[in-house]
Amino acid sequence: MARFAVTISMPHSEYATGESIPLTATVKNLSDAVAAVPASSAPSPFVYQIKSLEARNPSLVLSESRQLEMTSPGTPQTPAYVALFSLGPNQSSARREDLRYLAARPIPPGRYEVTAQFSWKGDAAESAPLPFRILAPKFAGISSAGSTEAATRV
């Protein structure tokens, strides 16, 4: 029997290119015993798989440790110390993360599915896929400013 279950949710199903993409990942202890999991203040134990539903866009793998490695080369993938939280039987712990923050660059417009993978001390669980869409930017047009007053000669 699986020891953990993972669910994910997003407040919207559509986001503008470059917009914050908040996601809440929840891990639930399915066992009859207390489980120690990373606290919300600790580095995230989740890895997000973003699968493109359109051939023109790449699929992505995002996580807090990958994001730190991209912005600060040489950052260790696993910290030496991780603050733990005791999760009782049938209890859940939620973490809110921003997929836009975890991505190295804006996610291209298109249709996607995201899953969250939780892996901790040999136990692993994966959420069901959640669809979302990134909208193409809409340009309002070009505007210019000018003065209607005539220039005076000196």
Side-chain angles (χ1 to χ4, degrees):
M1 178 176 153
R3 189 169 171 198
F4 296 104
V6 175
T7 56
I8 54 175
S9 63
M10 300 168 85
H12 307 288
S13 61
E14 294 183 338
Y15 297 88
T17 301
E19 179 182 10
S20 175
I21 306 171
L23 177 141
T24 301
T26 304
V27 61
K28 182 176 183 177
N29 180 0
L30 300 177
S31 73
D32 294 331
V34 172
V37 297
S40 59
S41 60
S44 176
F46 292 99
V47 173
Y48 302 99
Q49 300 274 348
I50 299 178
K51 178 184 171 190
S52 175
L53 301 179
E54 300 171 2
R56 70 173 191 251
N57 290 333
S59 293
L60 305 168
V61 178
L62 307 175
S63 70
E64 186 175 358
S65 62
R66 286 174 186 255
Q67 193 273 346
L68 289 173
E69 180 63 32
M70 286 185 290
T71 57
S72 304
T75 302
Q77 293 292 324
T78 306
Y81 171 77
V82 174
L84 298 177
F85 173 75
S86 293
L87 198 57
N90 278 335
Q91 285 187 328
S92 298
S93 176
R95 177 185 291 263
R96 186 170 177 168
E97 302 203 78
D98 188 338
L99 297 180
R100 170 60 188 107
Y101 168 76
L102 296 176
R105 58 185 59 92
I107 299 170
R111 295 178 310 114
Y112 298 90
E113 285 183 341
V114 61
T115 58
Q117 298 168 342
F118 175 81
S119 180
W120 181 248
K121 303 266 184 190
D123 288 309
E126 184 171 329
S127 72
L130 181 66
F132 71 100
R133 185 173 167 204
I134 302 293
L135 302 173
K138 294 181 182 177
F139 297 102
I142 299 174
S143 64
S144 61
S147 173
T148 57
E149 295 179 17
T152 56
R153 290 185 162 190
V154 181

